[in-house]
Amino acid sequence: MKFDTLIIGGGLAGLTCGIRLQKNGMKCAIVSTGQSALHFSSGSFDLLNELSDGTKVDNPVAAVEKINMNHPYAKLGSKFAYYAGEAKQLFADCAIEVNGDAAHNHLRITPMGTLKPTWLTFSDFTPLSSASDMVGKKILIVNMAGFLDFNTKFVADSFEKYGTECRISSVNLPELERLRISPTEMRSTNIARVLDNEKTLEALIKELTGQISGFDIVVLPAVFGLSSAEPVRKLKGALDIPVWLIPTMPPSVPGIRAQQQLRRSFEELGGVYMLGDTVVKADFKDNKVQAVYSVNHGDISFVAENFILASGSYFSNGLVAQQDSVVEPVFGSDVDFTPGRDGWYDKSFFNKQNYMTFGVATNDKLQVKIKSEIQQNLYAVGSVLGGSNTIHEGCGAGISMLTALYVADNLING
């Protein structure tokens, strides 16, 4: 099988790159092992929340000039703001509605009810400019009876610290009784499938209408709109007070919907998406990848002009930690890591973990190095790259999308 570009990894980075390339006439295939991190999304996309020294960031566009030179953003040069705008436009082109601006982080509500800075947020959720937006509000927090992945008490306690007055309630619909037979079935995705039914959603709206009198805001878990955002729009339009949806513990209904919409856009543009397959080895000649092989296709090779590694970090086995090294398992790419396992981690779980900064070594064009030699047609994008601590710096989604667009444009422009 032959393509212009083969992308290994079907998450946010891989799909962003594939969509950009397909739009510009390049025939692409994506090989994806399984679920991407979008299935666990909190509903927001971080660009840059903090510098490596702990300095908080309000304006990512201004702050990016202060990042260290090993950071993936440093390789974008002056195009950081441009690609941040292009990433937001890509979402819009794929019918994914988001709010936010690269020049000013807003606040999102976490599954625990706390406030965290972010760049873009799904339109399902309510962005806040500051914690003062909550002061003095009377809030009704409503859960689906028996749903354990939304902790109303934690949310209420957090909200009250911001100066709100909260009351907790629940709704019990007959249509959800089947799910309650087994606690394992009472999950966000299953609830969303039930609430996609128009009559069931109307019954919920009627139930909520009888409870919201006297409140300024009603809060619900984000269990609406698995296949489209229409149930969310209908819910918000039907009630007389603002509806705040809050992310649940994984899986994420809005995240899964976004993954599906990105994949659909890629395939509608002519891209080939192979889910449930894993690339395991490659052939090389003169510092160029000639072909790769996957589990499902055995001896049948994938041949392409260019190959893009978008396999993610440890979570998706894009990087694998061994006893005394960190390896990239598909190509054997060079990985920047600190020798000596004791230096990889801090015993305090919530402190910065050094291993999070490890990743595939590249040049400024994000071409991959193997045995210190640049591979002419092999690139890396997203969280497989080293040089940043995406958790503490709050830049994971931004790195995925912006590096993917950067590499795609380099290929498009020859």
Side-chain angles (χ1 to χ4, degrees):
M1 287 180 279
K2 188 171 183 178
F3 302 91
D4 294 326
T5 304
L6 184 82
I7 301 170
I8 300 157
L12 183 60
L15 281 164
T16 297
C17 197
I19 289 169
R20 185 74 154 200
L21 290 170
Q22 283 289 155
K23 279 187 174 181
N24 286 273
M26 300 186 75
K27 182 66 174 177
C28 300
I30 291 175
V31 180
S32 179
T33 300
Q35 292 180 346
S36 80
L38 279 171
H39 285 71
F40 305 87
S41 170
S42 64
S44 293
F45 299 87
D46 295 338
L47 184 61
L48 186 62
N49 298 339
E50 187 176 301
L51 298 178
S52 58
D53 63 3
T55 302
K56 303 298 180 184
V57 170
D58 176 64
N59 183 338
V61 172
V64 75
E65 297 178 359
K66 301 175 183 178
I67 59 172
N68 69 71
M69 293 308 296
N70 294 323
H71 199 289
Y73 285 158
K75 299 180 180 183
L76 305 181
S78 61
K79 292 189 174 182
F80 175 83
Y82 167 73
Y83 281 124
E86 291 295 287
K88 185 177 180 181
Q89 184 60 49
L90 183 141
F91 278 140
D93 293 343
C94 296
I96 299 171
E97 298 177 13
V98 292
N99 298 308
D101 191 312
H104 180 69
N105 283 330
H106 61 265
L107 296 177
R108 65 177 175 92
I109 304 173
T110 72
M112 302 298 287
T114 57
L115 300 180
K116 297 291 184 182
T118 195
W119 163 43
L120 299 176
T121 296
F122 289 133
S123 60
D124 300 42
F125 304 105
T126 302
L128 302 176
S129 58
S130 71
S132 62
D133 292 349
M134 301 179 70
V135 174
K137 297 291 193 296
K138 293 183 66 176
I139 299 179
L140 177 66
I141 302 172
V142 182
N143 196 11
M144 311 300 166
F147 181 45
L148 302 180
D149 291 338
F150 179 60
N151 195 309
T152 53
K153 184 65 168 61
F154 283 168
V155 172
D157 288 347
S158 295
F159 277 13
E160 287 175 350
K161 291 177 183 177
Y162 295 118
T164 69
E165 179 184 337
C166 296
R167 197 185 87 189
I168 295 171
S169 181
S170 65
V171 292
N172 189 3
L173 299 176
E175 292 82 359
L176 295 175
E177 288 295 335
R178 179 181 58 82
L179 300 182
R180 273 191 284 273
I181 293 173
S182 170
T184 60
E185 293 298 312
M186 198 64 176
R187 306 301 301 275
S188 59
T189 50
N190 293 333
I191 294 171
R193 289 187 184 95
V194 172
L195 294 176
D196 274 349
N197 180 280
E198 189 171 341
K199 290 185 178 179
T200 305
L201 183 60
E202 288 175 354
L204 174 65
I205 291 170
K206 183 177 181 180
E207 180 75 19
L208 292 171
T209 301
Q211 295 191 30
I212 61 176
S213 178
F215 291 93
D216 300 310
I217 297 161
V218 59
V219 166
L220 291 158
V223 292
F224 302 88
L226 188 60
S227 57
S228 81
E230 185 56 33
V232 178
R233 288 191 285 267
K234 184 169 183 178
L235 173 68
K236 291 184 175 183
L239 298 178
D240 294 331
I241 61 174
V243 177
W244 286 6
L245 299 183
I246 293 187
T248 68
M249 301 301 287
S252 164
V253 169
I256 292 171
R257 185 174 75 233
Q259 171 79 18
Q260 292 173 340
Q261 287 175 279
L262 288 170
R263 176 180 173 178
R264 188 180 306 119
S265 295
F266 173 69
E267 292 178 324
E268 287 174 351
L269 288 165
V272 177
Y273 193 96
M274 289 173 276
L275 180 64
D277 199 0
T278 303
V279 175
V280 290
K281 64 178 181 178
D283 290 334
F284 291 88
K285 183 179 180 181
D286 299 329
N287 292 331
K288 289 187 71 174
V289 181
Q290 301 297 306
V292 298
Y293 301 84
S294 73
V295 172
N296 291 355
H297 290 81
D299 293 334
I300 300 174
S301 64
F302 295 96
V303 178
E305 293 295 321
N306 294 287
F307 297 82
I308 298 175
L309 186 65
S311 52
S313 189
Y314 307 96
F315 174 78
S316 56
N317 290 323
L319 297 174
V320 177
Q322 298 182 338
Q323 183 63 34
D324 57 358
S325 64
V326 177
V327 301
E328 183 279 300
V330 176
F331 298 101
S333 310
D334 292 352
V335 176
D336 291 327
F337 68 94
T338 304
R341 193 179 181 92
D342 289 346
W344 293 3
Y345 61 92
D346 190 296
K347 291 182 179 179
S348 176
F349 179 78
F350 292 102
N351 288 345
K352 288 185 179 179
Q353 303 297 331
N354 194 31
Y355 67 83
M356 290 299 298
T357 66
F358 302 162
V360 168
T362 68
N363 65 3
D364 286 348
K365 293 183 179 180
L366 298 180
Q367 290 170 298
V368 171
K369 297 179 182 180
I370 299 178
K371 296 180 180 180
S372 299
E373 296 286 339
I374 295 297
Q375 305 304 300
Q376 297 175 37
N377 66 340
L378 176 59
Y379 300 80
V381 299
S383 57
V384 76
L385 295 167
S388 67
N389 188 318
T390 55
I391 293 177
H392 278 270
E393 295 172 20
C395 58
I399 287 175
S400 291
M401 298 193 75
L402 272 59
T403 59
L405 291 168
Y406 173 70
V407 166
D409 281 0
N410 281 342
L411 296 182
I412 293 163
N413 295 325

